[in-house]
Amino acid sequence: MSTDPSRPLLAPPSGSLTISEPKVDPALQLDAPEASPSSSVYLSLVIPTFNESENIEAMIELLSKLLDQALPGNYELIVVDDDSPDYTWKIAQEMVSQYPQLRVMRRQQERGLSTAVIRGWQVARGEVLGVIDGDLQHPPEVLLQLVAETQQGADLATASRHVEGGGVSSWSVVRRFLSRGAQLIGLIILPGVIGRVSDPMSGYFLVRRSAIAGKTLSPVGYKILIEVLGRGNIGRVAEVGYVFQERQSGESKVTWKQYVEYLRHLVRLRLALSPFGRFIRFGFVGLTGLFVDMSVFYLLREGLQLGLTRSNIISVELAILNNFLWNDAWTFSDISSRQQGWRQRAKRLLKFNVICLMGLILNTLIVNFLFNALGMNQYVAKLIAIAVVLFWNFWINLKLSWRVTEVK
Ligand code: GDD
Ligand code: MN
């Protein structure tokens, strides 16, 4: 076996995790980017791998055999390997000449299961996008039932351990408990998403491209299905039972870290899906700014005995810097991730600063008015000024600072 020079490794996409729109009439696609490939297929199945050298060959053989029967010439397998030290990507790439439907991506810049799946979908040509573990723990035969469900109109077809025909092979009580506990927490934080399927932890599912096209995904950790259910436009959901097999070779990459990431993922989605999520985040960042502002103000007033206005200006400016960093990385991260680079960032900081400085003038006027004219306690006066300026800052910054200005 040798690598086929006419079919090199796939180049990993970079930039935002957005799936391109479904293919339209090729005549209308004259200026199509390279992301919209020339020939389309029905199914693109991504196999994310990390150190699966002992499983990958069997995996590709089994899947190809099944799909050559069910969807001859109308599918593709996309292995997305995170530069495995055991050379999984190389083994897979060496199979490309024998398996015309196989494509392999070796990622060196990015890591992680969920982003691997999405990067694979970004180069996929299928009308239906899917994922299956590369370690043979997901029985390949179930795929045919999943495909059939999508052909019958399901937007999402997922394999489940918790419906008729499903189960786990020999999990300990502790592991079952952890798995169900995670599901319960998910149901509490995100009932509308987690409650839609019996096995939200599944990493074995198919989704219609049109249901997630154009959406920017932002997963943390392992549970890509949650992201798809949460951000996609998913109408009909179908579930097919499967028994989660024991691992024969290689080892699981799951550690306690995945549980923490799962929780972070739930919270992130909760905020993203709530109509006021952004304002809640902005308000929360504002609270950290309030802490910076108040404590610096206190130190300058009581410690250095500086004047009221001077103390106020310094403490507010430090809070502005604090808030910018958090807002850029969190509150508006979806927007800033599309506007990367230092120049863009500096531009945002400048705008944010100008708007906040206008807020500072407003703040100072209010503080002075309440303290000097109305004789109010200076700290209470500041609190009122901060509340007023919070609304001003959120609104104007949303409209001016974190706006996508450079259209590709
Ligand atoms: N590219 C890439 N990058 N692949 C990864 C990474 C990564 O960072 N981490 C894991 N994988 C691949 C593995 O090689 C395997 O093919 C698959 O993702 C699943 O990883 P495992 O480490 O085997 O996970 P697991 O078996 O404990 O957990 C699975 O259990 C769920 C059911 O509870 C997950 O795969 C879920 O998707 C699955 O449904
Ligand atoms: Mn596994």
Side-chain angles (χ1 to χ4, degrees), residues 214-242:
K215 313 270 182 207
T216 297
L217 304 177
S218 177
V220 205
Y222 255 45
K223 301 306 173 188
I224 177 86
L225 176 58
I226 293 173
E227 185 71 11
V228 166
L229 277 172
R231 295 191 203 256
N233 208 336
I234 312 285
R236 202 160 82 69
V237 173
E239 300 192 80
V240 176
Y242 85 101

Side-chain angles (χ1 to χ4, degrees), residues 247-304:
R247 223 182 217 280
Q248 303 301 324
S249 312
E251 55 192 58
S252 168
K253 285 89 208 170
V254 172
T255 61
W256 59 269
K257 211 180 125 208
Q258 267 74 45
Y259 288 95
V260 176
E261 287 184 335
Y262 168 72
L263 288 179
R264 272 183 53 216
H265 193 184
L266 289 176
V267 171
R268 179 184 285 196
L269 263 180
R270 171 73 281 163
L271 289 171
L273 299 180
S274 145
F276 304 110
R278 211 193 280 287
F279 185 73
I280 293 170
R281 277 181 277 185
F282 194 83
F284 187 79
V285 169
L287 274 183
T288 69
L290 174 64
F291 178 78
V292 171
D293 190 353
M294 281 299 213
S295 37
V296 173
F297 182 73
Y298 176 83
L299 287 176
L300 296 179
R301 288 293 280 156
E302 312 292 330
L304 298 183

